[in-house]
Amino acid sequence: MNNQDIDFSNLSAYREGNQLEAKKATIGLPNSIWETYSSFANTDGGLILLGVEEAKDHALHAVHLDDPEALIRDFWNTINNPQKVSLNILTDSMVRTQEVDGETIIVIEVPRAERELRPIYVGLDPIKGTFRRNHEGDYHCTREQVSAMFRDAAQVSIDKKVLTETDKSVFCQDSINDYRILFNAKHPNHAWTKLDDELFLRRIGAMGVDTETKTVHPTIAGLLMFGYEYEIVREFSQYFLDYQERMDPSIRWTHRVISSSGDWSGNLFDFYFRIINRLTSDLPVPFKLVNNERDDDTPLHETVREALLNALVHADYYGRMGTVIIKSPETLSFANPGDMRISLAMAMEGGFSDPRNATLMKMFGMIGVGERAGSGVPNIIATWENETQHRPLYKIMYSPERVMCTIFVAGSGDKPVINEVSSDKSGDKVAKSGDKRQVILAYLAQHPNSRNAEIAAELGLSVSQTRDYLNGLVAAGLVEESGANKNRKYSVK
């Protein structure tokens, strides 16, 4: 959010939220301003308004500040004091005065800090002084969250780290053999095809040299790509891969693949190839011949492969809750631990590539998986929407940090209509043609804790149809339910 997002002539229409905080500041700078500065910088940025009060109805209105310029001087003096704040990431243009209803308020625009600069914290102790934003409040980050920020601040991709306490016995040889078969097929004349396994693994980044002892050991990327699950969890205690098919609402899942089952290696390479065909099996395949052979690959298949790859190579494997892929009749959802290393807005714009595990991305690319990696989020959204008229949804969640991508797969229909409801001649409300799931999400955003029958009546849908849509949204992790049977209520998660 920036200054241009606020219509100051209509300030009372705004409410405090993830990117807007109002502080009265009539008796000087409030101490809580630094917690908000930290939380905005460590989340998605936001505006702090000084000289603005929140009324009982949560509307915002300006109050009188005796000396706004003195407050600004005090602000700059404090934010540049490393004893008070770890780092000043503001420029002069980000702090200014603004006339509102005859009063002068102060507008402070806090950007999202670049990952190399985070965490931004208050005082001298990052564990005690690091905050993040959650709705309209600032909350203390846990030690785990602070550690994740420090890991992401590293200039070198973390998966290049050489694990000096391990050797190549942590690798599943079958995984290496299968990888080399794919590599040789992709690069039949490549010099690396004739190397022994150890040299080959060093060339692709799966093994590296300890600079002190000059001995060769697996890297983090190699361990994740080819290791046995029980070896991987020694380094990543929260490591967990989970693929679920929820094709029948009456059954928790109809098929499942988990890394800890013990009947397969549990590594990323095998996980990808165990589930990718199941993920794409229900996608439409038009009849098309290439070199007199049927081509079953489509832009939709490519997009699903890229979404799965993104979840695997951008995950923070030190984080909690694991990487979870869910297939339902209406959606494919991809959730991985870890915050985005760039803002979601920048990811949507495209042109920025900052993978958390760059070596893993390179290794997948060498066998033809994710050759378009780097096109990322904009490509996934544009391709899927162009092919199906359904726009994928991206969501960033905190505590714990997770990135979720949800792709709607059922039907083609019209382009989704968000938050639009019309009336028929009788005056009843009817959801416009388009993606009813989007309409339901928009309705629940404004009417949390609604029952199935209430939603159906408001949007002009049948009760059974609405229940099917809600089950799909719950399976995708976009909607949560509470209560049972007729008392079950739904809200946006």
Side-chain angles (χ1 to χ4, degrees), residues 14-35:
Y14 295 90
R15 301 292 183 270
E16 289 188 327
N18 269 0
Q19 293 183 286
L20 183 62
E21 173 77 8
K23 296 185 184 295
K24 195 173 178 180
T26 52
I27 57 173
L29 285 178
N31 288 330
S32 62
I33 190 174
W34 307 115
E35 297 176 2

Side-chain angles (χ1 to χ4, degrees), residues 233-250:
V233 296
R234 292 181 180 178
E235 177 69 23
F236 303 98
S237 61
Q238 302 294 321
Y239 175 84
F240 187 63
L241 306 176
D242 189 359
Y243 170 70
Q244 302 175 21
E245 291 181 4
R246 301 180 181 180
M247 309 306 287
D248 183 344
S250 65

Side-chain angles (χ1 to χ4, degrees), residues 186-417:
K186 182 73 175 174
H187 312 279
N189 300 315
H190 201 290
W192 294 356
T193 61
K194 300 184 184 301
L195 298 177
D196 62 35
D197 280 349
E198 184 174 302
L199 275 176
F200 178 80
L201 293 172
R202 287 177 63 180
R203 294 293 187 270
I204 67 172
M207 297 189 77
V209 178
D210 178 9
T211 56
E212 292 186 5
T213 64
K214 307 303 179 183
T215 53
V216 178
H217 303 273
T219 62
I220 281 179
L223 177 66
L224 289 167
M225 191 74 163
F226 303 121
Y228 289 104
E229 184 269 348
Y230 56 83
E231 300 286 1
I232 296 174
V233 296
R234 292 181 180 178
E235 177 69 23
F236 303 98
S237 61
Q238 302 294 321
Y239 175 84
F240 187 63
L241 306 176
D242 189 359
Y243 170 70
Q244 302 175 21
E245 291 181 4
R246 301 180 181 180
M247 309 306 287
D248 183 344
S250 65
I251 304 173
R252 191 174 181 185
W253 55 73
T254 53
H255 181 76
R256 194 180 188 196
V257 176
I258 58 174
S259 55
S260 58
S261 62
D263 56 354
W264 62 288
S265 68
N267 59 47
L268 298 187
F269 173 77
D270 288 338
F271 181 71
Y272 179 92
F273 286 101
R274 272 180 172 254
I275 73 170
I276 188 60
N277 288 337
R278 298 192 69 100
L279 260 178
T280 58
S281 61
D282 298 322
L283 296 179
V285 180
F287 184 79
K288 183 175 71 170
L289 292 178
V290 176
N291 297 326
N292 294 320
E293 294 184 3
R294 179 166 180 174
D295 181 16
D296 290 339
D297 203 23
T298 71
L300 296 183
H301 291 75
E302 293 177 2
T303 302
V304 172
R305 290 198 296 268
E306 186 161 5
L308 174 58
L309 178 66
N310 280 355
L312 296 179
V313 301
H314 289 287
D316 179 359
Y317 290 100
Y318 288 105
R320 287 187 288 133
M321 294 180 64
T323 299
V324 182
I325 316 299
I326 299 176
K327 178 180 180 178
S328 75
E330 297 199 337
T331 61
L332 302 177
S333 70
F334 307 82
N336 61 266
D339 187 10
M340 274 192 169
R341 286 163 53 104
I342 59 175
S343 70
L344 183 56
M346 290 179 66
M348 292 288 190
E349 290 176 12
F352 304 94
S353 181
D354 190 13
R356 179 171 278 112
N357 301 291
T359 309
L360 279 175
M361 178 172 281
K362 183 183 77 171
M363 286 197 289
F364 273 111
M366 286 177 178
I367 56 173
V369 177
E371 290 179 296
R372 297 186 304 165
S375 51
V377 173
N379 180 69
I380 290 172
I381 292 176
T383 302
W384 199 267
E385 187 171 17
N386 181 63
E387 294 289 326
T388 70
Q389 281 93 48
H390 296 292
R391 184 178 178 84
L393 299 179
Y394 276 84
K395 184 177 182 181
I396 311 297
M397 294 168 282
Y398 295 100
S399 193
E401 288 77 4
R402 289 183 77 68
V403 177
M404 174 176 282
C405 168
T406 301
I407 296 175
F408 297 100
V409 297
S412 56
D414 299 322
K415 293 203 173 189
V417 179

